[in-house]
Amino acid sequence: MGGLVVTGTPRTPLDLLGTLAGYSVATVHEAQGRRGLLASAITPIQSGMRVAGSAVTATVTPGDNTTIAVAVEQCQEGDLLIITPTAPCDMGYFGDLLATSLKARGVRGLVIDAGVRDVADLQTMGFPVWSRHVCAEGTTKGNLGDVNVPISIAGQIVHPGDAVLADDDGVVIVSRARVAEVLVTAQEREAKEELSRARYLAGETALDVNNMRPMIEAAGIRYVDYRMWQEGRTS
Ligand SMILES: O=C([O-])CC(=O)C(=O)O
Ligand SMILES: [Mg+2]
């Protein structure tokens, strides 16, 4: 039906978002048990930007971006707008004008399972966007989706107020109730990776750093001298 706007939804606190933005999407994805990652078809239009925001969710009808204007008004500092169409659509729902409006409200970025346009302008103004498509064809106005309801997007369910973390590798969702706990695990993981990095730097390989030798032995690895191998003296 559409047209529902839920107001007063809880948000992930700004301080937690600030800490979350210190970790990569890959680290957070691992830290929460390899969960929460949007499909890899959702890609950044820019490179080198990482943002964390509190989800303002929206659905849009195919080829119509009216609901984005409605959603923008619900956004505030620290939010990230995350939008999915009710049926697949590659049209350019969003461009530099809507981005200017979101930026003015302190919104961290946009994730959309559809098309965007004006990408050069979006890049110049530094407003980060992750989308499935880039498409110059614009949308019309007149039909309503919903704002701040749970949405299904690119393989994940997102509730308003969940934390959304996005960088060059993609987009990961952390449910609002789990953010603090996931941050602890992410910190532990970073510390472990720091130790591993030091060992790699010193010349060790993953076989020892990750204790993989028993595993590859069990899997049947064989090392054969080249000459023996050429002479067919081994199978
Ligand atoms: O106006 C639109 O429908 C989308 C767009 O190009 C913009 O926001 O600049
Ligand atoms: Mg435009």
Side-chain angles (χ1 to χ4, degrees):
M1 230 207 20
L4 182 66
V5 180
V6 182
T7 60
T9 48
R11 287 178 156 87
T12 297
L14 288 176
D15 58 331
L16 291 186
L17 293 173
T19 311
L20 186 64
Y23 297 103
S24 69
V25 166
T27 293
V28 169
H29 168 59
E30 297 285 353
Q32 62 176 349
R34 303 168 70 83
R35 288 186 175 81
L37 199 62
L38 296 200
S40 62
I42 307 296
T43 55
I45 63 155
Q46 68 287 320
S47 72
M49 290 187 78
R50 185 196 291 154
V51 293
S54 181
V56 169
T57 61
T59 60
V60 287
T61 55
D64 188 301
N65 73 350
T66 311
T67 321
I68 301 184
V70 177
V72 169
E73 195 179 39
Q74 299 305 313
C75 288
Q76 66 182 45
E77 170 78 33
D79 287 344
L80 187 148
L81 186 53
I82 180 162
I83 300 173
T84 193
T86 55
C89 183
D90 68 353
M91 292 165 75
Y93 280 85
F94 182 94
D96 76 297
L97 291 178
L98 284 166
T100 301
S101 180
L102 284 179
K103 201 173 176 188
R105 303 180 81 87
V107 173
R108 300 281 164 82
L110 172 83
V111 174
I112 183 166
D113 193 349
V116 297
R117 60 184 185 175
D118 308 329
V119 294
D121 293 326
L122 292 170
Q123 287 164 359
T124 302
M125 66 191 280
F127 187 82
V129 171
W130 287 257
S131 73
R132 187 179 289 268
H133 307 285
V134 170
C135 178
E137 187 180 10
T139 51
T140 56
K141 296 195 168 46
N143 289 304
L144 286 172
D146 299 316
V147 177
N148 273 335
V149 297
I151 61 168
S152 168
I153 173 168
Q156 299 296 330
I157 303 291
V158 185
H159 292 82
D162 284 349
V164 184
L165 177 69
D167 66 15
D168 289 348
D169 290 350
V171 181
V172 68
I173 310 300
V174 184
S175 79
R176 189 172 56 89
R178 288 197 65 202
V179 177
E181 159 203 339
V182 168
L183 284 175
V184 172
T185 320
Q187 166 55 37
E188 288 166 2
R189 199 179 163 84
E190 286 263 287
K192 185 168 166 280
E193 287 202 355
E194 199 49 48
L195 292 176
S196 300
R197 201 167 288 114
R199 291 179 66 182
Y200 289 130
L201 209 56
E204 287 190 72
T205 74
L207 293 180
D208 294 310
V209 172
N210 293 335
N211 193 26
M212 289 164 63
R213 291 194 191 279
M215 180 200 300
I216 62 174
E217 259 159 49
I221 195 156
R222 289 165 302 137
Y223 294 91
V224 178
D225 175 76
Y226 177 72
R227 273 194 7 248
M228 302 266 281
W229 182 53
Q230 287 294 296
E231 288 163 17
R233 279 196 258 147
T234 182
S235 54

